[in-house]
Amino acid sequence: MCSVRPWLALSLAFSFSWTAWGQPPDDERRRERSAPAVYDFSDDALSGEMLSATPGGAQDIAFFRDRVAAGEIPHANVFTPEGLFSEHDLPLGKKARCRQLLCATGEATAVRLLAQPNVRALGQLGFSSNIDAKKFRRAPLNLVAVVDKSGSMQHVLPLVQASLREVLAQLGPRDQLAIVLYGDTVDTLVLPTRADPAGRRVLAAAIDRIESNGSTAMEEGLRVGFRLARRSARAFEGTTRVMLFTDERPNVGATDRHSFMSMARSASNDGIGMTTIGVGLQFGAELATAISSVRGGNLLFFPDAATMKRKFEDDFDTMVSELAHDLHLRVRPGKGLKLAGIYGIPGDKLQWGPDGSLELHIATVFLSRRSGAIYVAVEPAGSDALPRVMPAVGDAIAFIELAFTPLGGKRRTTTASLATVALEDASVGLVRGALLVDEATVLKEAARLHNEANDQEGAYQLVHALAGRFRALRDPTLEAERTLVLALEQSLALRSGHAGEPSARAGVRDPVSGLPR
């Protein structure tokens, strides 16, 4: 999340016209991927359900949920809005067919946020593609699994083994898998092996032999894994990816040639992406932020085997399929407005322009079977007292420039002006997203108040008010959020002396936005 100040929001609707605006950073420009996935670009692909797209970085908030379920109040840095949004389908309504690899759509409507009381409207930016979900076939995959087998992994190693078995189940005869283990030393358990019937037996037997012992030579393990990935990629026609399984937090701060981040960047420039699978209790948003700053990076956390199995079954093909790189977004406010916040962007890459615009960079856009979203906001400029009036339907409140590089393609860009829609015309994704943004801003602020400011009362009152909105919820797809918010409310009630008090009122709606109060 990137929040600047309370806001009045955006509506995004794009039709593409290509130019050369928005060049990617020099260190991310050295080499384009040479083996794109097997995508269907034919006109008849437009007849079916199209795949969407989502930024890289954290793909869930499973760690935060796990800690709240255990009765804890996690630190704000283990929660990312982009992780929350990635768990949900946030479709925009009637939209034009996308006739190129990546399209953007959006809209805005009135909203009130508890942690941002001056907010007046929320806008959603979503991505779509022209890739038919039913016809989609990813490219052959050369996967190198780098597995932490250190002593700290003893209790979660069965989950890692189950994960590797599920990965193997998702591979076909065109794919291959290698396994590198690290503890005190680094061992290549299995060299790249085709996932045909004979190879599957070899790989399954190797997974069964993994045992936990030793300390954690993570950087050496990754070094060997990336070296093996580079070597095997030379003779492989498809995409190559490293998948790290660990319960530790890799070194994300150092920039020397042996560090985690340096190795990931170098591999990315050679066309090798990395997925990190967290299976322990040590992960935080700073890891997701670091990984997302590297082209080809994404991160997931698995608290249990059921979550892991569901994620791999539903999303394995898309989580390893990069769609575009170096997405550069520039947002310029309309007359009398100023920008105030962007939600759902992995990393912290905002730059202010002299005209009050914001520019940001997303290293990688992945394919997704769910409609993801980015939310952007502005507020009235030049006044301390924000007006209560909503933006009029059709108001042009901001202007967008969007540039990206398709996988293996040339730089492309588009521009658009932004307008609002009436609440009753808002898409399901925007109404649902309003609650998710409310949740994201409240949970991060409440975690900060509890852990950093020692303000138990303030943290409780924020979450208590949010719980009232979720008690009034009628959207079954957000039931997991209701469970999370109510559990956090209970934990904060115990810590602030409010245990046993009546629940926040359910069913009360804001008279301006029409949303649950």
Side-chain angles (χ1 to χ4, degrees):
M1 179 179 75
C2 207
S3 177
V4 185
R5 278 204 297 235
W7 34 309
L8 177 71
L10 302 184
S11 163
L12 312 177
F14 299 105
S15 62
F16 279 87
S17 60
W18 312 119
T19 70
W21 179 85
Q23 291 300 313
D26 290 340
D27 63 346
E28 299 285 10
R29 208 167 28 172
R30 285 167 47 191
R31 180 173 176 177
E32 294 300 333
R33 306 296 164 92
S34 58
V38 183
Y39 300 150
D40 185 346
F41 298 103
S42 61
D43 288 340
D44 60 350
L46 297 173
S47 61
E49 181 181 353
M50 301 298 106
L51 286 174
S52 295
T54 187
Q59 301 299 297
D60 59 49
I61 59 163
F63 177 77
F64 190 91
R65 295 186 195 280
D66 185 64
R67 294 299 84 208
V68 170
E72 298 177 9
I73 314 295
H75 198 279
N77 68 1
V78 302
F79 179 95
T80 63
E82 62 269 19
L84 173 64
F85 301 158
S86 292
E87 292 185 355
H88 294 278
D89 191 23
L90 302 170
L92 287 167
K94 298 177 182 178
K95 55 186 179 183
R97 287 179 174 179
C98 180
R99 296 187 178 276
Q100 53 274 321
L101 188 64
L102 181 65
C103 299
T105 58
E107 62 187 46
T109 196
V111 69
R112 293 287 177 84
L113 298 184
L114 293 165
Q116 304 252 10
N118 290 326
V119 168
R120 293 296 180 267
L122 179 69
Q124 176 182 349
L125 167 64
F127 298 107
S128 60
S129 74
N130 68 339
I131 301 171
D132 192 312
K134 293 181 179 179
K135 298 179 180 181
F136 167 67
R137 298 293 182 272
R138 62 168 171 78
L141 179 63
N142 174 33
L143 185 63
V144 178
V146 178
V147 179
D148 182 352
K149 70 177 185 75
S150 63
S152 66
M153 290 285 288
Q154 180 177 357
H155 298 296
V156 294
L157 190 59
L159 176 57
V160 173
Q161 290 175 297
S163 299
L164 287 168
R165 293 186 191 101
E166 190 60 39
V167 166
L168 181 58
Q170 302 303 321
L171 300 181
R174 301 184 308 159
D175 305 316
Q176 63 186 33
L177 174 65
I179 302 175
V180 174
L181 305 179
Y182 67 88
D184 285 325
T185 59
V186 177
D187 301 301
T188 301
L189 182 65
V190 185
L191 289 168
T193 301
R194 289 281 180 175
D196 55 23
R200 299 176 80 85
R201 290 192 291 271
V202 171
L203 290 162
I207 293 169
D208 290 342
R209 294 198 305 271
I210 301 175
E211 296 181 351
S212 174
N213 61 73
S215 59
T216 308
M218 176 178 290
E219 304 242 351
E220 180 63 14
L222 282 169
R223 187 183 66 78
V224 172
F226 281 127
R227 183 174 62 194
L228 182 58
R230 284 186 174 91
R231 187 177 302 160
S232 57
R234 295 169 188 163
F236 187 82
E237 294 186 3
T239 60
T240 296
R241 193 163 193 84
V242 168
M243 187 171 284
L244 171 67
F245 294 82
T246 181
D247 69 339
E248 295 293 337
R249 183 173 299 170
N251 175 0
V252 300
T255 57
D256 61 274
R257 64 187 179 88
H258 300 295
S259 74
F260 167 78
M261 288 299 293
S262 178
M263 285 188 289
R265 287 193 180 97
S266 178
S268 173
N269 288 330
D270 290 335
I272 299 168
M274 185 174 73
T275 296
T276 299
I277 306 293
V279 292
L281 305 180
Q282 307 302 317
F283 285 91
E286 60 267 41
L287 176 61
T289 298
I291 290 173
S292 68
S293 70
V294 176
R295 183 191 285 184
N298 54 11
L299 168 72
L300 301 103
F301 176 80
F302 294 148
D304 53 58
T307 302
M308 173 275 298
K309 184 175 178 64
R310 183 170 61 251
K311 185 66 176 178
F312 277 141
E313 286 180 346
D314 294 346
D315 299 322
F316 181 83
D317 284 352
T318 55
M319 78 169 66
V320 299
S321 297
E322 300 166 43
L323 184 65
H325 299 142
D326 302 317
L327 188 147
H328 193 97
L329 180 68
R330 181 174 181 242
V331 184
R332 180 168 54 87
K335 184 177 180 180
L337 300 173
K338 58 182 177 182
L339 299 171
I342 297 181
Y343 302 85
I345 298 293
D348 187 14
K349 298 289 185 181
L350 288 179
Q351 292 184 334
W352 285 99
D355 59 351
S357 64
L358 280 175
E359 296 188 23
L360 56 97
H361 173 256
I362 300 172
T364 312
V365 178
F366 286 82
L367 277 171
S368 175
R369 298 187 185 278
R370 290 183 292 274
S371 298
I374 296 170
Y375 297 93
V376 191
V378 299
E379 64 181 10
S383 174
D384 294 331
L386 295 179
R388 293 184 60 84
V389 297
M390 298 298 129
V393 172
D395 276 356
I397 59 174
F399 304 91
I400 299 292
E401 295 176 2
L402 182 71
F404 63 93
T405 304
L407 196 66
K410 296 181 179 180
R411 195 76 174 155
R412 300 177 176 181
T413 190
T414 185
T415 61
S417 59
L418 313 177
T420 58
V421 299
L423 176 64
E424 59 269 22
D425 297 326
S427 298
V428 170
L430 182 53
V431 175
R432 186 176 294 162
L435 281 168
L436 293 175
V437 171
D438 209 15
E439 176 186 355
T441 52
V442 165
L443 295 192
K444 285 192 74 75
E445 177 62 11
R448 186 195 68 80
L449 289 172
H450 169 80
N451 290 294
E452 299 177 24
N454 195 27
D455 183 359
Q456 311 307 320
E457 180 67 17
Y460 168 74
Q461 291 298 341
L462 265 180
V463 175
H464 183 55
L466 182 65
R469 292 188 170 187
F470 274 93
R471 285 188 176 92
L473 186 63
R474 297 294 181 267
D475 186 344
T477 69
L478 297 183
E479 187 59 34
E481 309 315 323
R482 174 188 171 102
T483 300
L484 172 65
V485 171
L486 297 188
L488 190 59
E489 179 196 29
Q490 183 178 20
S491 294
L492 285 168
L494 291 172
R495 290 164 170 82
S496 60
H498 289 279
E501 291 185 1
S503 300
R505 291 179 297 165
V508 178
R509 292 187 173 269
D510 184 275
V512 176
S513 69
L515 296 173
R517 180 180 287 174

